[in-house]
Amino acid sequence: DDGLTTRQRSNRPLLVVHTGEMKGKSTAAFGLALRGWAQGWSASSEKRRQQGRHKRGEAIGTEGLIAILRGLRPDEAAEIGEAVLAGGITTLEVPLNSPSPLASIAILREQLGDRATVGAGTVLTPDDVVACRRAGAQIIVSPNCEPSVIARAVDLGMTPFPGVATVSEAFTAINAGARHLKLFPANVLGVASMKAWLDVLPAAISMLPVGGMDASTVGEWAAAGAAGAGFGSSLYKAGRSAEEVTARTAELVRAWLG
């Protein structure tokens, strides 16, 4: 058993060797022919993987880059939100383990209006999804893959970003309605994992690495086919000034765009 599904096996090219053609030829010659076929298949597979995928720096929905504002306080939400936008990122996430996160989400929506997409992070239950929607959240980001959370977000017209760490979780999330997957923790899973996943996931599915994303690492992920990325402490930490947040955001955007 080669471990392939029927669909994958039907899409794989067939190598046919006529014994008459190989008569009198050495084993080495056959090996060269086989390697040539394999290289051609690998190249065509990579070409198919890139077709339909997001190009480097391309947005998913509104924006492919997400500013994760863990620890944000309501009294600084408006200023920090403007600072992030000034640096070039227009999708903001307030994790629910921040101080008064729903209040911060509501303030960001009022302050930024149509200039930004605002959502909630660390969303673990369907009830959390409802509360975030009432506060004005537009996206739902989770560290895990919980189908009930995904389904509730979709039902309420929100965009879910479930966290996945295995291919099985990825397909569970897709079956529940997700179209954007948060690869987490990306710094543990590695770029090679994402590249392998992209070969088997539907072309319409976007992958966003989160965890360890900074100006020194995000370019490699972008080049490998990521549709965006989530930036946490490399962009914002509680107590950082608005000026520093703008500068860090701009640096991360430059690194992403190359």
Side-chain angles (χ1 to χ4, degrees):
D1 186 356
D2 56 11
L4 296 176
T5 64
T6 300
R7 179 182 176 187
Q8 290 170 324
R9 200 174 286 113
S10 66
N11 289 332
R12 186 176 57 176
L14 180 66
L15 175 64
V16 178
V17 178
H18 295 285
T19 55
E21 294 178 358
M22 296 306 299
K23 186 176 181 180
K25 294 185 179 180
S26 66
T27 302
F30 177 75
L32 286 173
L34 183 59
R35 278 200 298 274
W37 171 84
Q39 289 169 356
W41 161 238
S42 177
S44 63
S45 177
E46 174 65 14
K47 183 177 180 180
R48 287 193 306 275
R49 186 180 73 81
Q50 293 299 333
Q51 290 174 341
R53 297 288 176 191
H54 293 274
K55 295 180 181 179
R56 185 173 184 178
E58 186 175 81
I60 39 166
T62 53
E63 285 293 336
L65 304 180
I66 300 177
I68 304 170
L69 306 178
R70 191 178 308 279
L72 184 72
R73 304 187 314 272
D75 63 290
E76 63 176 347
E79 183 181 22
I80 294 298
E82 291 286 1
V84 172
L85 261 63
I89 292 180
T90 58
T91 301
L92 295 78
E93 168 198 334
V94 181
L96 293 186
N97 54 2
S98 303
S100 303
L102 299 182
S104 291
I105 290 171
I107 291 169
L108 287 170
R109 283 300 312 277
E110 181 178 3
Q111 175 69 27
L112 305 179
D114 293 338
R115 294 180 293 148
T117 297
V118 178
T122 318
V123 180
L124 303 177
T125 70
D127 288 344
D128 287 342
V129 176
V130 173
C132 293
R133 182 68 181 86
R134 289 172 179 163
Q138 298 159 290
I139 64 174
I140 294 294
V141 186
S142 303
N144 61 332
C145 176
E146 174 50 60
S148 63
V149 168
I150 298 168
R152 184 62 59 87
V154 172
D155 288 344
L156 294 177
M158 307 164 78
T159 303
F161 290 76
V164 296
T166 67
V167 173
S168 294
E169 289 181 344
F171 278 104
T172 296
I174 292 168
N175 291 336
R179 294 298 174 263
H180 309 300
L181 305 179
K182 167 184 170 180
L183 186 69
F184 180 78
N187 55 336
V188 174
L189 295 169
V191 175
S193 293
M194 185 191 72
K195 291 176 70 175
W197 292 19
L198 289 175
D199 281 335
V200 297
L201 294 179
I205 301 302
S206 300
M207 299 207 67
L208 288 84
V210 177
M213 292 297 104
D214 58 31
S216 69
T217 60
V218 72
E220 182 181 8
W221 289 90
F231 301 111
S233 59
S234 61
L235 186 151
Y236 172 83
K237 280 185 179 179
R240 269 187 192 146
S241 69
E243 293 77 12
E244 183 178 359
V245 169
T246 295
R248 285 176 171 270
T249 303
E251 179 186 22
L252 292 166
V253 170
R254 286 193 299 270
W256 167 258
L257 295 176

